[in-house]
Amino acid sequence: MSFVQTIFSHLQRDPGKALLVQVQRDQLVPTSNQQMVQWISSARKQLQDKGIAKGDRVVLLSDNSPQWVACDLAIISLGAITVPLYPRQDEKELAFMAQDCQPKLFIASDEKLQQKVFSHWTDPCDLVFVDALLGAHVESNDQEEWVSLNPEDIVTIIYTSGTSGHPKGVMLSAGNIDYMLDRTCAQLNSSKMKSGNQDRVFHFLPLCFAGSRLMFWTQMYRNNPTMLSTDLANLAQEMATANPQFYLNVPAILERIKKGVEDRLKSQKDWIYQVYQKTCQIHRQQSASLAQKIYFRMAKKILLEKIKQKIGPQLEFLICGSAALHPDTQMWFEMLGISVLQVYGLTETTGIITMDEFNSHQVGKVGKVIEGCEVKLTQEGELLCKGPNVFQGYWNRDKETQDCFEGDWFRTGDLATLSEEGFVEIVGRTKNVIIPSSGHNIVPEVIEKIIKDLVPQVDHAVVIGHGRPYLTALVSGQVSEDQFQDLLEKVNQGFPHYKKIRKLRKIEEGFTVENGSLTINQKLKRKDIEKNFEDEIQALYQTPSESSVSLPT
C-alpha cells in the first residue's frame, strides 16, 4: 500500500474527524475527513476524464489550503506527478518552471494566479481551477482503483529555489517518500510528548516546499491533525489560536519571536529587563555558582515561565531547518524550556539528511545522520550523502544530474564537520568559497556569522572579494552608527591579513525576496546581490584601501 493510500484509508475510516484544520485569526475551521475524501474522489474522477495518467506532470499553483492537499493526493493517487509551485515567486520564474516540466494540466486556485504565469507562457497547456476540480459529487468506496506505485516511480517534481542560474526540477520517487515517512514518523513517535501519540502541529510554511510537504504528510500518515495557517500576516495570533505541541520553522521566524519578546521586555519596568538580561547571561555560562543557579531558578519561575506561556502553553519543542540557526537563538529557546531540534537536508535528499534526537542534541549542530543514510567528507570538507533519500535526478537535466554525483555519492555542496559522536555541523557552501587575488580560499559564512554574533541587530551580512585585492562586506539591519563604526575593528580581531574585512557598507533597503537578494527560502542569492548592488560594491574598492565604513546618506 502506497503512502497516499494509507493517508486516504485514515480519512475514510473516521469521516467525522478532521486531520486538517484551518487557523483563521482566533478561529479554528476544521475540514472533516469526509469532506477531504469527497474532494479527493472528485479530483480523481475529473483528472481521469481529462486523460491524466501515470507519469503525466500536473502543475499545482495555489496558496496553502485543505483543497491544495486534496489536489496533491488525487494527482499522486493516479500515478501522475505533482509539480507544486510557490504563488509568491517571480512570475517569470513560475512560467519557466511550468513550461520546463512539460505538464499535461495546470491547476490554479484563481484566475489572478493563472494569468500571472500564462502571461509569460506562449503555448500553455490545459487549465482547470481548484474549485471546479473538487466540485463534482462523486461517491467514494473502498474498491476505488488505485494506481500501483513502484519505488522508482516519480510522484513529484519540486523545483529548487535557484541561488544561481535557472531552477532545476528535483524528481522524488515513491521510494524516497516511503523511506522518509518511516524516518519522520519513528522520530516523532519516540518524542514521548505529553499528548501521547495524538499531538497536533501548527503549519505555516508553504506546502510546495519539500520539508513542508513532508511535515503534513507525516502527520496525516500518523493519523494526527495539522493546524494549517493560511495568512502569514497574522502569524502570532494564529500560533496562539492553534496552541500546538510543536511546529516546523525557519530560523527567521524564531529570531523574530526572540526579538519581539525582548522588545516588549525593554518597554516594561527597568528591573524586569535587568532580571531578564542577567538570567540570559547566567544561562550562557558553561558553569554557574550556587547563588547563580538559585537566581536562575527564581527568574525562571517569575519571568521565563510567563514568556513560555505567551509563546505557546502546550509547546514542547520546535523543529528548525532550511537555513543556519544562530546558536544564541537556539540557546534562548532552550533557556525557556523549549528544545529546538534542527533538521538538515536538501530537496535532492527528500528534505532530510540529519535530524536532532530528542534525548541528544547539541547547540550549533544539525543532528546526526538518519538511519539508512550514509555521509562522508571529501578532502575539501564537502559533505557527500548516499541512501534511499537521494533523489532520482533533475528533470530533463542529465548533465546537471551527473555533475552533482561522485560515483554513488550525492554532492550536497555544503562544507561540514563531523564530530566523533556523529554530530554534523554545516560551515558553508563550496560554491560560495571566495578566492581573492592573494589566492587564499575563504569561506564567507564563517565571517558573516561572526559579524552577526557581534551585532545581533544585523539581519544579513554578505562578504565580497572573489578575484579582488581584499575583502569587503555589505550589511543590512537596524544597526546604529556607533555599532557600525565599532564593528569593523572587532570583526577583524584574530584574523590573518587575508581574512580581514577592509571596508563595510550598510545597505539601507536590506536584502529581500522582492529586490532579488533572497530566495523564497531566505537564502542569500550572492550573484544577484553583487549585480544589484554593483555600484555600492565598486565604491568599496575605490582608493584609498584603508579600513573604512560607509553609511547611507
Side-chain angles (χ1 to χ4, degrees), residues 250-353:
V250 293
I253 296 295
L254 298 186
E255 287 162 6
R256 193 185 307 169
I257 292 172
K258 177 176 178 286
K259 184 177 185 302
V261 169
E262 291 176 335
D263 287 346
R264 283 196 296 272
L265 288 174
K266 281 181 184 178
S267 66
Q268 296 180 15
K269 294 179 180 178
D270 186 55
W271 69 269
I272 294 178
Y273 189 61
Q274 288 179 7
V275 168
Y276 166 78
Q277 286 186 308
K278 187 172 181 180
T279 306
C280 291
Q281 184 181 10
I282 293 171
H283 182 72
R284 290 192 195 99
Q285 294 176 359
Q286 295 295 325
S287 59
S289 66
L290 178 60
Q292 287 176 321
K293 288 177 180 177
I294 294 171
Y295 184 96
F296 184 83
R297 289 195 193 100
M298 290 175 61
K300 187 170 184 179
K301 193 72 177 173
I302 296 169
L303 184 61
L304 300 187
E305 288 183 6
K306 290 182 180 179
I307 294 174
K308 183 183 182 299
Q309 285 294 310
K310 290 286 186 182
I311 295 174
Q314 294 191 64
L315 202 57
E316 298 187 37
F317 62 90
L318 297 166
I319 302 172
C320 189
S322 177
L325 174 64
H326 198 290
D328 279 355
T329 302
Q330 187 173 7
M331 288 178 66
W332 186 83
F333 279 93
E334 299 276 351
M335 179 182 72
L336 299 180
I338 304 170
S339 294
V340 180
L341 306 177
Q342 295 206 60
V343 176
Y344 161 74
L346 296 85
T347 304
E348 290 89 339
T349 61
T350 322
I352 301 175
I353 295 175

Side-chain angles (χ1 to χ4, degrees), residues 83-101:
V83 185
L85 301 182
Y86 182 48
R88 299 186 182 186
Q89 198 158 353
D90 177 79
E91 55 192 43
K92 290 182 180 179
E93 285 191 347
L94 287 173
F96 170 84
M97 293 182 284
Q99 293 177 77
D100 184 68
C101 71

Side-chain angles (χ1 to χ4, degrees), residues 9-191:
S9 68
H10 288 325
L11 295 170
Q12 281 186 313
R13 197 160 45 241
D14 196 349
K17 188 175 179 178
L19 286 186
L20 289 170
V21 181
Q22 292 185 78
V23 187
Q24 297 178 353
R25 293 182 179 270
D26 60 350
Q27 299 292 317
L28 294 177
V29 183
T31 299
S32 70
N33 289 355
Q34 183 177 17
Q35 178 66 80
M36 287 295 296
V37 167
Q38 169 59 37
W39 281 341
I40 294 168
S41 299
S42 172
R44 279 171 51 82
K45 175 67 167 59
Q46 296 201 65
L47 288 170
Q48 286 175 317
D49 290 346
K50 291 180 180 295
I52 299 301
K54 190 170 185 176
D56 289 336
R57 276 80 57 208
V58 179
V59 171
L60 178 56
L61 181 64
S62 173
D63 289 311
N64 284 9
S65 69
Q67 290 89 336
W68 191 104
V69 177
C71 290
D72 182 37
L73 294 175
I75 294 164
I76 297 173
S77 75
L78 297 174
I81 300 169
T82 304
V83 185
L85 301 182
Y86 182 48
R88 299 186 182 186
Q89 198 158 353
D90 177 79
E91 55 192 43
K92 290 182 180 179
E93 285 191 347
L94 287 173
F96 170 84
M97 293 182 284
Q99 293 177 77
D100 184 68
C101 71
Q102 301 168 327
K104 192 167 185 177
L105 185 66
F106 188 100
I107 302 172
S109 58
D110 56 63
E111 189 174 352
K112 184 179 178 181
L113 276 179
Q114 172 249 324
Q115 286 297 328
K116 187 176 180 180
V117 178
F118 279 37
S119 62
H120 300 279
W121 192 351
T122 53
D123 187 22
C125 64
D126 288 343
L127 164 73
V128 65
F129 291 108
V130 170
D131 288 346
L133 192 68
L134 306 183
H137 184 76
V138 179
E139 292 296 331
S140 172
N141 59 74
D142 294 331
Q143 306 305 315
E144 283 194 65
E145 184 178 344
W146 289 73
V147 173
S148 176
L149 290 176
N150 300 313
E152 66 275 9
D153 287 337
I154 306 303
V155 297
T156 188
I157 295 175
I158 303 176
Y159 278 82
T160 58
S161 53
T163 53
S164 61
H166 283 304
K168 299 187 291 289
V170 175
M171 298 188 291
L172 297 179
S173 68
N176 291 143
I177 304 301
D178 285 336
Y179 162 76
M180 196 55 74
L181 286 176
D182 284 344
R183 304 281 78 73
T184 55
C185 289
Q187 189 81 337
L188 286 174
N189 290 339
S190 71
S191 66

Side-chain angles (χ1 to χ4, degrees), residues 495-512:
F495 275 160
H497 69 91
Y498 58 88
K499 279 190 178 181
K500 290 186 185 295
I501 301 293
R502 296 282 188 92
K503 297 181 182 182
L504 291 170
R505 184 178 179 93
K506 184 178 178 182
I507 302 300
E508 195 67 28
E509 68 179 279
F511 304 117
T512 65

